[in-house]
């Protein structure tokens, strides 16, 4: 039994590495790469202690077939999201069959982390990136217009007081969105992982990420207007990914800590 468990885990490790290295386009910056790489170790650490069953049942063949089919289909169609979905199905098949039953609800909440541990969003999230860009440009234009600035907005292009600002792919937030979701998911588990409202906060992290990225665009415009476009598009823009990540963490920390305090005062029942 120990040998079979080890063989299956080694197989999962090998296929995980394959998903990571098959397309290296996502490995463009530390703020994008490091959180993805540490997502699985973070999942293992937060899921501890891992208590295995003494007499586990056989791995369900149906789940194994579904997971393997998803992975193979992902290979054939060259879709990272399908590869990830198949891998997650195989991982949960092993966990649900080998880990003690009382630990499964807790680990189920952490399955968000391995799902985000692969660069499917960075590689295939063009539609999401476009939405972040066009809505971020619109919101930025609205902010400056409300302050009395002369603003012209067209698509992802803004002209503020005669200064043209293009919200290009670098401002889509896709390079760090997955990193922000990983960090936010870990914070959500640490703050409110034992409450039913935990699941509602996972999609809310996307909104927080959008707010952080939009705020970055606003700050870049303010910097360009006050200190010049050369400074704004230089080192300040280069460090923009880290700025968004820090903003995301601060916003998530604030929202989750306030929510935890409210849940404790209300005596909300635990979902574990």
């Amino acid at each position: 039994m120990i040998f079979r468990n080890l063989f299956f885990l080694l197989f999962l490790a090998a296929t995980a590495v394959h998903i990571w290295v098959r397309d290296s386009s996502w490995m463009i910056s530390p703020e994008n790469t490091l959180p993805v790489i540490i997502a699985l170790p973070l999942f293992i650490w937060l899921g501890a202690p891992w208590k295995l069953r003494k007499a586990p049942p056989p791995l369900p063949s149906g789940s194994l077939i579904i997971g393997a089919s998803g992975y193979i289909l992902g290979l054939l169609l060259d879709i990272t999201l399908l590869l990830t979905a198949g891998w997650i199905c195989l991982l949960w098949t092993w966990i649900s069959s080998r880990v003690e039953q009382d630990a499964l609800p807790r680990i189920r909440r952490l399955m968000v982390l391995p799902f985000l541990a692969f660069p499917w969003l960075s590689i295939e999230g063009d539609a999401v990136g476009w939405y972040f860009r066009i809505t971020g440009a619109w919101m930025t234009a609205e902010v400056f217009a409300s302050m009395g600035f002369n603003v012209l907005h067209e698509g992802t292009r803004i002209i503020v007081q005669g200064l043209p600002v293009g919200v290009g792919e670098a401002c889509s937030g896709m390079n760090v969105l997955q990193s922000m979701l990983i960090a936010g998911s870990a914070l959500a588990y640490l703050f409110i992982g034992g409450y039913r409202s935990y699941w509602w906060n996972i999609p809310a992290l996307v909104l927080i990420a959008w707010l952080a990225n939009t705020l970055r665009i606003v700050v870049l415009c303010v910097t360009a207007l006050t200190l010049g476009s050369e400074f704004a598009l230089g080192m300040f823009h280069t460090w923009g990914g880290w700025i968004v990540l820090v903003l995301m963490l601060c916003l998530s920390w604030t929202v989750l800590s306030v929510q935890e305090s409210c849940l404790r005062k209300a005596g909300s029942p635990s979902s574990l």
Side-chain angles (χ1 to χ4, degrees):
M1 181 60 67
I2 294 176
F3 175 77
R4 277 187 284 180
N5 283 335
L6 181 60
F7 175 80
F8 196 85
L9 292 176
L10 288 175
F11 169 77
L12 287 176
T15 49
V17 172
H18 170 253
I19 298 175
W20 284 325
V21 302
R22 60 185 293 274
D23 186 342
S24 60
S25 62
W26 61 281
M27 301 179 186
I28 57 177
S29 57
E31 70 271 16
N32 183 46
T33 307
L34 291 178
V36 173
I37 292 176
I38 68 172
L40 280 180
L42 187 61
F43 166 72
I44 295 172
W45 176 62
L46 292 175
W50 293 84
K51 297 180 180 179
L52 302 182
R53 302 185 193 184
K54 295 181 180 179
L59 296 176
S61 57
S63 297
L64 290 175
I65 292 173
I66 293 173
S69 299
Y71 193 91
I72 294 172
L73 189 61
L75 283 176
L76 295 176
L77 299 178
D78 192 27
I79 299 177
T80 307
L81 181 58
L82 275 177
L83 285 167
T84 301
W87 193 90
I88 291 298
C89 183
L90 292 173
L91 174 64
W92 180 249
T93 299
W94 185 86
I95 290 175
S96 60
S97 300
R98 295 293 182 263
V99 177
E100 291 285 354
Q101 286 287 99
D102 59 352
L104 292 182
R106 172 174 54 82
I107 297 174
R108 187 181 292 113
R109 284 164 175 73
L110 288 169
M111 290 299 292
V112 176
L113 289 175
F115 183 65
L116 293 170
F118 299 99
W120 52 270
L121 185 55
S122 300
I123 296 174
E124 298 162 358
D126 292 343
V128 180
W130 170 252
Y131 175 80
F132 268 49
R133 288 170 59 198
I134 197 165
T135 55
W138 171 80
M139 180 59 69
T140 301
E142 290 296 315
V143 168
F144 281 97
S146 67
M147 294 189 296
F149 286 85
N150 183 18
V151 179
L152 178 63
H153 171 227
E154 183 177 341
T156 59
R157 189 167 180 265
I158 314 168
I159 300 178
V160 183
Q161 295 293 108
L163 177 69
V165 178
V167 184
E169 291 185 7
C171 294
S172 67
M174 286 302 97
N175 291 341
V176 291
L177 176 59
Q178 198 151 349
S179 303
M180 291 189 289
L181 292 178
I182 291 170
S185 299
L187 284 176
Y189 179 80
L190 291 172
F191 275 103
I192 56 171
Y195 297 96
R196 293 187 179 92
S197 59
Y198 165 80
W199 291 111
W200 292 102
N201 282 270
I202 301 304
L205 291 173
V206 179
L207 175 60
I208 295 176
W210 176 84
L211 288 172
N213 193 64
T214 301
L215 184 57
R216 174 201 175 196
I217 298 172
V218 173
V219 171
L220 282 171
C221 288
V222 172
T223 304
L225 288 170
T226 55
L227 299 177
S229 57
E230 290 187 5
F231 177 79
L233 297 176
M235 288 297 295
F236 191 83
H237 190 276
T238 302
W239 285 90
W242 288 109
I243 293 172
V244 175
L245 190 56
V246 171
L247 287 173
M248 167 71 175
L249 289 173
C250 292
L251 286 170
S252 299
W253 189 287
T254 302
V255 170
L256 292 168
S257 60
V258 170
Q259 190 175 164
E260 181 195 26
S261 178
C262 292
L263 288 170
R264 283 184 176 180
K265 290 180 181 178
S268 179
S270 172
S271 59
L272 293 179

PDB file of all heavy atoms in Angstrom, residues 49 51-53 99-109 272:
ATOM      1  N   PRO A  49      -2.108  18.501   9.875  1.00  0.00           N
ATOM      2  CA  PRO A  49      -1.459  17.198   9.685  1.00  0.00           C
ATOM      3  C   PRO A  49      -2.241  16.308   8.712  1.00  0.00           C
ATOM      4  O   PRO A  49      -3.472  16.312   8.723  1.00  0.00           O
ATOM      5  CB  PRO A  49      -1.465  16.608  11.097  1.00  0.00           C
ATOM      6  CG  PRO A  49      -2.692  17.206  11.734  1.00  0.00           C
ATOM      7  CD  PRO A  49      -2.815  18.588  11.165  1.00  0.00           C
ATOM      8  N   LYS A  51      -3.377  12.958   8.000  1.00  0.00           N
ATOM      9  CA  LYS A  51      -3.591  11.659   8.645  1.00  0.00           C
ATOM     10  C   LYS A  51      -4.218  10.697   7.643  1.00  0.00           C
ATOM     11  O   LYS A  51      -5.347  10.889   7.196  1.00  0.00           O
ATOM     12  CB  LYS A  51      -4.503  11.823   9.862  1.00  0.00           C
ATOM     13  CG  LYS A  51      -3.915  12.710  10.954  1.00  0.00           C
ATOM     14  CD  LYS A  51      -4.870  12.825  12.126  1.00  0.00           C
ATOM     15  CE  LYS A  51      -4.282  13.719  13.221  1.00  0.00           C
ATOM     16  NZ  LYS A  51      -5.217  13.860  14.379  1.00  0.00           N
ATOM     17  N   LEU A  52      -3.455   9.648   7.292  1.00  0.00           N
ATOM     18  CA  LEU A  52      -3.936   8.685   6.317  1.00  0.00           C
ATOM     19  C   LEU A  52      -4.745   7.577   6.986  1.00  0.00           C
ATOM     20  O   LEU A  52      -4.508   7.223   8.142  1.00  0.00           O
ATOM     21  CB  LEU A  52      -2.760   8.077   5.551  1.00  0.00           C
ATOM     22  CG  LEU A  52      -1.852   9.058   4.795  1.00  0.00           C
ATOM     23  CD1 LEU A  52      -0.762   8.299   4.049  1.00  0.00           C
ATOM     24  CD2 LEU A  52      -2.658   9.912   3.835  1.00  0.00           C
ATOM     25  N   ARG A  53      -5.685   7.044   6.259  1.00  0.00           N
ATOM     26  CA  ARG A  53      -6.506   5.946   6.783  1.00  0.00           C
ATOM     27  C   ARG A  53      -5.670   4.676   6.915  1.00  0.00           C
ATOM     28  O   ARG A  53      -4.771   4.406   6.113  1.00  0.00           O
ATOM     29  CB  ARG A  53      -7.688   5.660   5.838  1.00  0.00           C
ATOM     30  CG  ARG A  53      -8.614   6.851   5.592  1.00  0.00           C
ATOM     31  CD  ARG A  53      -9.797   6.398   4.762  1.00  0.00           C
ATOM     32  NE  ARG A  53     -10.539   7.550   4.248  1.00  0.00           N
ATOM     33  CZ  ARG A  53     -11.664   7.454   3.564  1.00  0.00           C
ATOM     34  NH1 ARG A  53     -12.163   6.247   3.284  1.00  0.00           N
ATOM     35  NH2 ARG A  53     -12.283   8.532   3.131  1.00  0.00           N
ATOM     36  N   VAL A  99      -7.053  10.008   2.888  1.00  0.00           N
ATOM     37  CA  VAL A  99      -6.995  10.856   4.083  1.00  0.00           C
ATOM     38  C   VAL A  99      -8.207  10.576   4.975  1.00  0.00           C
ATOM     39  O   VAL A  99      -9.297  10.247   4.491  1.00  0.00           O
ATOM     40  CB  VAL A  99      -6.949  12.344   3.684  1.00  0.00           C
ATOM     41  CG1 VAL A  99      -6.968  13.241   4.909  1.00  0.00           C
ATOM     42  CG2 VAL A  99      -5.703  12.617   2.851  1.00  0.00           C
ATOM     43  N   GLU A 100      -7.999  10.699   6.282  1.00  0.00           N
ATOM     44  CA  GLU A 100      -9.087  10.480   7.238  1.00  0.00           C
ATOM     45  C   GLU A 100     -10.288  11.362   6.923  1.00  0.00           C
ATOM     46  O   GLU A 100     -10.159  12.516   6.528  1.00  0.00           O
ATOM     47  CB  GLU A 100      -8.597  10.793   8.662  1.00  0.00           C
ATOM     48  CG  GLU A 100      -7.576   9.811   9.208  1.00  0.00           C
ATOM     49  CD  GLU A 100      -8.197   8.483   9.615  1.00  0.00           C
ATOM     50  OE1 GLU A 100      -9.441   8.372   9.571  1.00  0.00           O
ATOM     51  OE2 GLU A 100      -7.445   7.559   9.975  1.00  0.00           O
ATOM     52  N   GLN A 101     -11.482  10.793   7.105  1.00  0.00           N
ATOM     53  CA  GLN A 101     -12.721  11.461   6.731  1.00  0.00           C
ATOM     54  C   GLN A 101     -12.910  12.810   7.425  1.00  0.00           C
ATOM     55  O   GLN A 101     -13.393  13.766   6.822  1.00  0.00           O
ATOM     56  CB  GLN A 101     -13.920  10.562   7.051  1.00  0.00           C
ATOM     57  CG  GLN A 101     -14.102   9.391   6.090  1.00  0.00           C
ATOM     58  CD  GLN A 101     -14.630   9.843   4.744  1.00  0.00           C
ATOM     59  OE1 GLN A 101     -13.874   9.997   3.794  1.00  0.00           O
ATOM     60  NE2 GLN A 101     -15.927  10.075   4.667  1.00  0.00           N
ATOM     61  N   ASP A 102     -12.545  12.900   8.696  1.00  0.00           N
ATOM     62  CA  ASP A 102     -12.783  14.142   9.442  1.00  0.00           C
ATOM     63  C   ASP A 102     -11.914  15.302   8.956  1.00  0.00           C
ATOM     64  O   ASP A 102     -12.183  16.461   9.262  1.00  0.00           O
ATOM     65  CB  ASP A 102     -12.573  13.914  10.941  1.00  0.00           C
ATOM     66  CG  ASP A 102     -11.168  13.417  11.261  1.00  0.00           C
ATOM     67  OD1 ASP A 102     -10.412  13.096  10.328  1.00  0.00           O
ATOM     68  OD2 ASP A 102     -10.827  13.350  12.459  1.00  0.00           O
ATOM     69  N   ALA A 103     -10.864  14.999   8.184  1.00  0.00           N
ATOM     70  CA  ALA A 103      -9.989  16.057   7.672  1.00  0.00           C
ATOM     71  C   ALA A 103     -10.408  16.532   6.285  1.00  0.00           C
ATOM     72  O   ALA A 103      -9.928  17.576   5.818  1.00  0.00           O
ATOM     73  CB  ALA A 103      -8.542  15.573   7.629  1.00  0.00           C
ATOM     74  N   LEU A 104     -11.297  15.806   5.610  1.00  0.00           N
ATOM     75  CA  LEU A 104     -11.648  16.133   4.237  1.00  0.00           C
ATOM     76  C   LEU A 104     -12.333  17.494   4.069  1.00  0.00           C
ATOM     77  O   LEU A 104     -12.016  18.225   3.117  1.00  0.00           O
ATOM     78  CB  LEU A 104     -12.522  15.017   3.642  1.00  0.00           C
ATOM     79  CG  LEU A 104     -11.817  13.674   3.414  1.00  0.00           C
ATOM     80  CD1 LEU A 104     -12.780  12.673   2.783  1.00  0.00           C
ATOM     81  CD2 LEU A 104     -10.588  13.852   2.526  1.00  0.00           C
ATOM     82  N   PRO A 105     -13.284  17.896   4.955  1.00  0.00           N
ATOM     83  CA  PRO A 105     -13.884  19.235   4.782  1.00  0.00           C
ATOM     84  C   PRO A 105     -12.854  20.353   4.830  1.00  0.00           C
ATOM     85  O   PRO A 105     -12.945  21.319   4.067  1.00  0.00           O
ATOM     86  CB  PRO A 105     -14.870  19.324   5.958  1.00  0.00           C
ATOM     87  CG  PRO A 105     -15.204  17.910   6.281  1.00  0.00           C
ATOM     88  CD  PRO A 105     -13.941  17.141   6.048  1.00  0.00           C
ATOM     89  N   ARG A 106     -11.873  20.214   5.719  1.00  0.00           N
ATOM     90  CA  ARG A 106     -10.829  21.236   5.830  1.00  0.00           C
ATOM     91  C   ARG A 106      -9.965  21.271   4.569  1.00  0.00           C
ATOM     92  O   ARG A 106      -9.662  22.353   4.038  1.00  0.00           O
ATOM     93  CB  ARG A 106      -9.975  20.942   7.066  1.00  0.00           C
ATOM     94  CG  ARG A 106      -8.747  21.796   7.216  1.00  0.00           C
ATOM     95  CD  ARG A 106      -8.071  21.516   8.546  1.00  0.00           C
ATOM     96  NE  ARG A 106      -7.777  20.108   8.729  1.00  0.00           N
ATOM     97  CZ  ARG A 106      -6.696  19.493   8.218  1.00  0.00           C
ATOM     98  NH1 ARG A 106      -5.837  20.190   7.493  1.00  0.00           N
ATOM     99  NH2 ARG A 106      -6.480  18.217   8.436  1.00  0.00           N
ATOM    100  N   ILE A 107      -9.591  20.105   4.071  1.00  0.00           N
ATOM    101  CA  ILE A 107      -8.740  20.047   2.886  1.00  0.00           C
ATOM    102  C   ILE A 107      -9.507  20.475   1.639  1.00  0.00           C
ATOM    103  O   ILE A 107      -8.937  21.072   0.719  1.00  0.00           O
ATOM    104  CB  ILE A 107      -8.170  18.622   2.728  1.00  0.00           C
ATOM    105  CG1 ILE A 107      -7.279  18.281   3.929  1.00  0.00           C
ATOM    106  CG2 ILE A 107      -7.376  18.485   1.432  1.00  0.00           C
ATOM    107  CD1 ILE A 107      -6.777  16.866   3.943  1.00  0.00           C
ATOM    108  N   ARG A 108     -10.820  20.191   1.615  1.00  0.00           N
ATOM    109  CA  ARG A 108     -11.628  20.592   0.464  1.00  0.00           C
ATOM    110  C   ARG A 108     -11.567  22.106   0.251  1.00  0.00           C
ATOM    111  O   ARG A 108     -11.538  22.591  -0.875  1.00  0.00           O
ATOM    112  CB  ARG A 108     -13.070  20.141   0.649  1.00  0.00           C
ATOM    113  CG  ARG A 108     -13.939  20.365  -0.582  1.00  0.00           C
ATOM    114  CD  ARG A 108     -15.376  19.917  -0.348  1.00  0.00           C
ATOM    115  NE  ARG A 108     -15.444  18.464  -0.201  1.00  0.00           N
ATOM    116  CZ  ARG A 108     -15.776  17.837   0.935  1.00  0.00           C
ATOM    117  NH1 ARG A 108     -16.030  18.547   2.029  1.00  0.00           N
ATOM    118  NH2 ARG A 108     -15.836  16.532   0.980  1.00  0.00           N
ATOM    119  N   ARG A 109     -11.542  22.848   1.349  1.00  0.00           N
ATOM    120  CA  ARG A 109     -11.453  24.303   1.241  1.00  0.00           C
ATOM    121  C   ARG A 109     -10.112  24.757   0.669  1.00  0.00           C
ATOM    122  O   ARG A 109     -10.022  25.810   0.055  1.00  0.00           O
ATOM    123  CB  ARG A 109     -11.673  24.940   2.619  1.00  0.00           C
ATOM    124  CG  ARG A 109     -13.123  24.937   3.031  1.00  0.00           C
ATOM    125  CD  ARG A 109     -13.290  25.194   4.513  1.00  0.00           C
ATOM    126  NE  ARG A 109     -14.696  25.294   4.852  1.00  0.00           N
ATOM    127  CZ  ARG A 109     -15.531  24.254   4.903  1.00  0.00           C
ATOM    128  NH1 ARG A 109     -15.081  23.045   4.650  1.00  0.00           N
ATOM    129  NH2 ARG A 109     -16.806  24.419   5.191  1.00  0.00           N
ATOM    130  N   LEU A 272     -17.027  23.619   9.550  1.00  0.00           N
ATOM    131  CA  LEU A 272     -16.215  22.390   9.598  1.00  0.00           C
ATOM    132  C   LEU A 272     -16.977  21.290  10.286  1.00  0.00           C
ATOM    133  O   LEU A 272     -17.751  21.527  11.190  1.00  0.00           O
ATOM    134  CB  LEU A 272     -14.913  22.683  10.356  1.00  0.00           C
ATOM    135  CG  LEU A 272     -13.944  23.643   9.655  1.00  0.00           C
ATOM    136  CD1 LEU A 272     -12.714  23.859  10.507  1.00  0.00           C
ATOM    137  CD2 LEU A 272     -13.527  23.121   8.290  1.00  0.00           C
TER     138      LEU A 272
END
